[in-house]
Amino acid sequence: MDLVLKKIDISELKVGMTVEKMDRPWLQHPFLTNRKKITSQRQIDRLREFHIDEVYIYLEPGEEEAWTAVPLPAPAAPLPEPVADLLPLPEKETPPSFLREETASAIPQEVPFEEEIRTARLIQNEARTIVQDVMEDIRKGNDIEIGRVEQVVDRMIDSIFRNREALVSISRIKGYDEYTYVHSLDVCVLALTFGSYLNLDLEDLQKLGIGAILHDTGKMRIPTSILNKPGPLSEKEYQEVKNHPYYSYEIMAKTGGIPEEAKLIALQHHERRNGKGYPIGLREDEIHIFSQLTAIIDVYDAVTTNRSYQRAMSAHRGMQILFELGQTDFNMTLVERFIQCLGIYPVGTVVELDTSEIGIVVSVNSQVLLRPKVMLLYANRLRPLAQPKTVDLNEISRNGGGYPRSILRVLSREQWDIDVDRYLLNIENLPGQE
Ligand SMILES: [Fe+2]
């Protein structure tokens, strides 16, 4: 019997029904996919918060005749479960008070960016020392001090809960680096920021954070002469590099007390949905969702970091690369969500506005990705401002003339010789904050 797709009012949506589609792109509703089985009243409330008044569900013909029926062929195959189930996570009996109840993007930050950035800097420094020590211990054949790792992951999660942009902004301030520990930490910060954006609960964030921070520990077993080789690797050397996910898994398994999901992140972070990854060549939903998420971030961090063999791409270009890989290697919905989380113009991007002004993105508006806050540094390409001034591109002009400023294009920070890091690190001391 053919099912029919019916549009129903949100007031008629009940727990247990499956929403097949919504009249909104994914950017404008709280779920990872347009198709979603409703498992709690909270999910219905969240749809209302996003002003979604009507949804489509499948019904057998004759059922609820009052609704307007739109005949359609049988429903498409369901999404792979790990993806379909990721958002939102099942409700906890009694969620801890600090857990976000709604979509993270809709929640005001508890602490302003300018305030949290000081704490975030301290956490980042502490985390660097710990991750460096952990890597050194592994190189020497010692055990991982997992307690220290857990502690620092918890501190990072706390910071992200207070303000989701501060820690990630600091970690995006990139120098030239070849070090596994720097990359591991940056991947961890990005994974936790993204995880918090996806409303993962605390326990899952901890698993994700530990997995992300330790995902490349296996590289400590590979000779540095291979890891840092400037030229192309021989086939034998490449095979050895491709063993590092196994080594990471082994190191973590030997440590004991590390959650299985965290170990899977290490084992699977080079697997790809098209089966062309390594070490096993898993496909699609054979790869744990946390591993898929970390893989996206691993690539993003790699292409936006200066290495001996490559000049860092801008964050903006990094996003484009992810979009391209979303067609083949990654789950496109996750890629889109990641871009939504970091912003199309992530913090630190140098932009030129339609007013000819030039500045740095200092805060992303998750609701309106094209309209972040920008710290203006130049009145135009020839004239620097006497003092930096921060403006919100989402503010409409007072005389009703629309937006006074919009982003025209992304500029290369090197070409403009703008010391983005200095401005971001000193943001709390700068005048002109609006
Ligand atoms: Fe890796």
Side-chain angles (χ1 to χ4, degrees), residues 74-115:
L79 283 161
E81 279 310 303
V83 176
D85 282 351
L86 180 67
L87 261 186
L89 289 172
E91 263 178 319
K92 294 280 169 198
E93 293 290 306
T94 47
S97 60
F98 55 80
L99 274 188
R100 289 148 194 270
E101 295 296 329
E102 305 106 25
T103 296
S105 54
I107 291 183
Q109 308 276 276
E110 282 173 27
V111 171
F113 178 83
E114 294 79 8
E115 196 179 317

Side-chain angles (χ1 to χ4, degrees), residues 309-355:
Y309 50 87
Q310 126 200 319
R311 206 179 155 82
M313 290 176 187
S314 69
H316 195 65
R317 179 73 190 121
M319 298 291 180
Q320 286 170 346
I321 300 272
L322 290 187
F323 247 120
E324 285 157 25
L325 291 174
Q327 321 282 344
T328 52
D329 294 37
F330 299 137
N331 176 314
M332 186 52 118
T333 312
L334 265 187
V335 167
E336 287 173 338
R337 281 292 193 191
F338 181 60
I339 293 169
Q340 188 187 24
C341 165
L342 280 200
I344 293 167
Y345 303 107
V347 171
T349 308
V350 178
V351 290
E352 183 174 18
L353 307 183
D354 56 358
T355 52

Side-chain angles (χ1 to χ4, degrees), residues 33-106:
T33 60
N34 261 331
R35 184 177 190 275
K36 179 76 207 167
K37 185 170 169 72
I38 299 297
T39 55
S40 71
Q41 180 59 41
R42 194 178 119 216
Q43 293 170 349
I44 300 173
D45 296 342
R46 288 171 71 184
L47 288 172
R48 284 181 200 274
E49 283 161 22
F50 277 73
H51 305 290
I52 289 168
D53 301 323
E54 292 172 324
V55 296
Y56 290 86
I57 62 165
Y58 276 112
L59 289 170
E60 289 181 7
E63 210 180 338
E64 303 289 351
E65 286 299 342
W67 291 328
T68 314
V70 187
L72 271 189
L79 283 161
E81 279 310 303
V83 176
D85 282 351
L86 180 67
L87 261 186
L89 289 172
E91 263 178 319
K92 294 280 169 198
E93 293 290 306
T94 47
S97 60
F98 55 80
L99 274 188
R100 289 148 194 270
E101 295 296 329
E102 305 106 25
T103 296
S105 54

Side-chain angles (χ1 to χ4, degrees), residues 145-156:
E145 285 187 69
I146 191 65
R148 287 179 80 198
V149 174
E150 288 167 348
Q151 218 170 29
V152 82
V153 166
D154 283 351
R155 291 197 66 192
M156 287 194 259

Side-chain angles (χ1 to χ4, degrees), residues 183-184 187 211-218 244 248 265-266 269 294 298:
H183 169 68
S184 302
V187 169
I213 216 166
L214 300 177
H215 77 282
D216 263 350
T217 45
H244 81 269
S248 299
I265 289 174
H269 71 276
T294 309
D298 188 32

Side-chain angles (χ1 to χ4, degrees), residues 23 85 93 107 119 272 295 299 302-303 324 328 387:
D23 284 334
D85 282 351
E93 293 290 306
I107 291 183
T119 321
R272 297 293 182 257
V299 167
V303 298
E324 285 157 25
T328 52
Q387 271 186 349

Side-chain angles (χ1 to χ4, degrees), residues 67-349:
W67 291 328
T68 314
V70 187
L72 271 189
L79 283 161
E81 279 310 303
V83 176
D85 282 351
L86 180 67
L87 261 186
L89 289 172
E91 263 178 319
K92 294 280 169 198
E93 293 290 306
T94 47
S97 60
F98 55 80
L99 274 188
R100 289 148 194 270
E101 295 296 329
E102 305 106 25
T103 296
S105 54
I107 291 183
Q109 308 276 276
E110 282 173 27
V111 171
F113 178 83
E114 294 79 8
E115 196 179 317
E116 182 59 27
I117 203 150
R118 298 172 208 202
T119 321
R121 202 178 311 157
L122 296 176
I123 295 172
Q124 173 85 355
N125 288 341
E126 183 195 346
R128 274 186 181 227
T129 310
I130 290 172
V131 183
Q132 209 170 0
D133 289 352
V134 164
M135 297 294 176
E136 208 41 50
D137 282 342
I138 294 167
R139 203 185 281 284
K140 288 179 188 156
N142 299 338
D143 291 340
I144 300 173
E145 285 187 69
I146 191 65
R148 287 179 80 198
V149 174
E150 288 167 348
Q151 218 170 29
V152 82
V153 166
D154 283 351
R155 291 197 66 192
M156 287 194 259
I157 294 172
D158 286 346
S159 171
I160 290 165
F161 276 149
R162 288 191 295 268
N163 184 298
R164 214 177 50 222
E165 287 172 337
L167 190 62
V168 75
S169 304
I170 291 187
S171 88
R172 299 328 292 157
I173 296 171
K174 306 290 256 176
Y176 174 90
D177 81 71
E178 298 289 339
Y179 300 108
T180 300
Y181 80 91
V182 178
H183 169 68
S184 302
L185 186 54
D186 291 348
V187 169
C188 179
V189 171
L190 284 172
L192 290 176
T193 304
F194 188 28
S196 137
Y197 182 78
L198 294 177
N199 268 336
L200 298 192
D201 66 17
L202 178 63
E203 217 175 297
D204 279 332
L205 283 176
Q206 286 166 328
K207 291 170 184 168
L208 182 61
I210 292 168
I213 216 166
L214 300 177
H215 77 282
D216 263 350
T217 45
K219 282 191 176 169
M220 296 300 106
R221 285 201 193 159
I222 297 174
T224 42
S225 56
I226 297 181
L227 278 185
N228 297 337
K229 189 174 170 181
L233 298 177
S234 70
E235 185 54 32
K236 197 164 162 245
E237 288 167 335
Y238 185 47
Q239 286 307 322
E240 179 61 358
V241 169
K242 279 169 46 174
N243 280 332
H244 81 269
Y246 273 132
Y247 296 155
S248 299
Y249 185 87
E250 265 177 26
I251 290 164
M252 290 163 78
K254 183 170 151 262
T255 299
I258 296 182
E260 196 55 34
E261 292 89 337
K263 286 185 267 183
L264 283 182
I265 289 174
L267 184 64
Q268 299 177 344
H269 71 276
H270 286 287
E271 298 288 356
R272 297 293 182 257
R273 286 180 67 82
N274 56 9
K276 293 188 176 166
Y278 65 85
I280 298 167
L282 298 173
R283 299 184 76 91
E284 311 207 344
D285 55 335
E286 291 171 335
I287 310 166
H288 192 278
I289 194 77
F290 287 178
S291 313
Q292 294 191 40
L293 189 155
T294 309
I296 292 171
I297 289 170
D298 188 32
V299 167
Y300 176 75
D301 188 67
V303 298
T304 54
T305 303
N306 273 315
R307 301 270 168 88
S308 56
Y309 50 87
Q310 126 200 319
R311 206 179 155 82
M313 290 176 187
S314 69
H316 195 65
R317 179 73 190 121
M319 298 291 180
Q320 286 170 346
I321 300 272
L322 290 187
F323 247 120
E324 285 157 25
L325 291 174
Q327 321 282 344
T328 52
D329 294 37
F330 299 137
N331 176 314
M332 186 52 118
T333 312
L334 265 187
V335 167
E336 287 173 338
R337 281 292 193 191
F338 181 60
I339 293 169
Q340 188 187 24
C341 165
L342 280 200
I344 293 167
Y345 303 107
V347 171
T349 308

